[in-house]
Amino acid sequence: MANSTMVTEFLLLGSPDGWNLSFLYFIVFPMTYLGTLLGNLLIVTVTTVDQNLHTPMYFFLRHLSILDMCFISITVPNACVNSLTINWVISVTGCATQILLVLFCAYVEILILSIMAWDRYVAICQPLQYPLIMNPQFCVRMTLASLLSGLLYAGVHTGNTFRLSFCQSNVVPQFFCDVPSLLRLSCSDTTSNVVLILVSAVVICGGCFLFIAMSYIRIFSAVLKFPTRAAGKAFFTCTPHILMVSFFLSSSTGVYLRSSGTSATLQDMVLSAFYTMSPPFLNPLIYSLRNKQVKEAVRRVMQRQLLLGK
């Protein structure tokens, strides 16, 4: 410690030793980012313009799409620019900001997915009470509560990470700053940080997973009593949400529970890219391609624009 130099900036590692990931940064990342923006912008536009989609389900879907665009914009454009300019240096402030925003978006996303599961449960199992339970005031309050608690959650983890001392190595074995990578670089005792991550993962991710699972267990037990056609329709409306939850929870859990080795591996890079890119990219694909209401709304909006253009 006496002969070490305190870190004033970090050096992101664009690729593991011996790997050339130019194809990833110049083809895959830009195309995925562009597809994510276009798809989510389409959902935001359609759910805003089309009056038929002014329901709680599409209210939360619209906010999920906005969140997804922000989520992927935190890491992917910066990684592409860094690869193009061959400059992977990031300031301590920039690193802290990136971690804060990633944690905030991830936390709010899992909460919105949980609220959407509750929305489907009420719609299918308590249809007569749906307008009373899922009223506009409730939707707005839940969204604000998710955003405010997300700021608190991200602030606590970011502050707890950057109270540590970073010395000697400043190479972050990732293409963006994340908490696990920084904990490996710290020359301080990180026990409390690891405990906080595990506790929050169990409470937040575990709690949301159980809540979502219980919601769908009740939904499935209820729809089995429906006629065959009605049961099939209920399953079809829930499938997109189940897919999104599965992708997001599996990828995010894998990132924070991966091995604590000090060197970068291609597996770490791919897992982190999957965690930050696949949910935002798949959201519009799942909801638009498998949702008849969204496809019809897109057609109505396009026809309206064509008529206005004439």
Side-chain angles (χ1 to χ4, degrees), residues 181-245:
S181 297
L182 289 184
L183 293 184
R184 299 170 196 155
L185 301 181
S186 175
C187 45
S188 304
D189 183 12
T190 61
T191 303
S192 63
N193 298 75
V194 174
V195 170
L196 181 61
I197 290 174
L198 291 176
V199 170
S200 60
V202 171
V203 173
I204 304 299
C205 294
C208 289
F209 175 78
L210 288 176
F211 181 83
I212 293 170
M214 290 302 298
S215 298
Y216 280 111
I217 289 174
R218 292 180 178 180
I219 289 173
F220 294 152
S221 63
V223 298
L224 290 175
K225 303 174 184 177
F226 296 170
T228 304
R229 186 174 180 180
K233 183 179 180 180
F235 277 114
F236 186 80
T237 59
C238 294
T239 300
H241 189 247
I242 296 173
L243 291 173
M244 278 302 302
V245 170

Side-chain angles (χ1 to χ4, degrees), residues 103-118:
L103 290 175
F104 170 77
C105 289
Y107 175 91
V108 177
E109 179 138 346
I110 187 60
L111 287 190
I112 290 182
L113 289 172
S114 300
I115 298 170
M116 291 174 71
W118 169 256

Side-chain angles (χ1 to χ4, degrees), residues 29-191:
F29 275 26
M31 293 300 293
T32 303
Y33 182 66
L34 181 61
T36 299
L37 290 185
L38 292 177
N40 283 289
L41 276 173
L42 178 64
I43 289 181
V44 171
T45 302
V46 170
T47 55
T48 301
V49 173
D50 196 289
Q51 295 292 327
N52 296 320
L53 300 185
H54 286 187
T55 64
M57 175 183 174
Y58 294 105
F59 172 84
F60 291 115
L61 177 58
R62 178 165 60 251
H63 285 79
L64 182 66
S65 295
I66 295 172
L67 188 67
D68 282 335
M69 288 188 289
C70 296
F71 197 5
I72 198 171
S73 297
I74 298 168
T75 57
V76 172
N78 188 58
C80 294
V81 171
N82 289 344
S83 180
L84 183 64
T85 60
I86 319 178
N87 179 15
W88 291 90
V89 175
I90 185 171
S91 66
V92 172
T93 302
C95 189
T97 302
Q98 198 170 54
I99 287 178
L100 178 73
L101 294 176
V102 167
L103 290 175
F104 170 77
C105 289
Y107 175 91
V108 177
E109 179 138 346
I110 187 60
L111 287 190
I112 290 182
L113 289 172
S114 300
I115 298 170
M116 291 174 71
W118 169 256
D119 173 79
R120 291 299 84 208
Y121 163 72
V122 176
I124 293 174
C125 299
Q126 303 180 37
L128 297 179
Q129 299 181 24
Y130 184 79
L132 297 177
I133 297 175
M134 301 300 296
N135 58 72
Q137 293 78 13
F138 174 82
C139 296
V140 172
R141 288 171 184 169
M142 292 303 295
T143 302
L144 290 176
S146 299
L147 295 174
L148 293 176
S149 60
L151 285 175
L152 178 62
Y153 175 85
V156 168
H157 279 282
T158 304
N160 198 39
T161 300
F162 282 89
R163 70 173 178 79
L164 302 173
S165 297
F166 299 96
C167 50
Q168 297 177 354
S169 176
N170 69 335
V171 179
V172 179
Q174 266 298 351
F175 65 90
F176 68 97
C177 285
D178 66 346
V179 174
S181 297
L182 289 184
L183 293 184
R184 299 170 196 155
L185 301 181
S186 175
C187 45
S188 304
D189 183 12
T190 61
T191 303

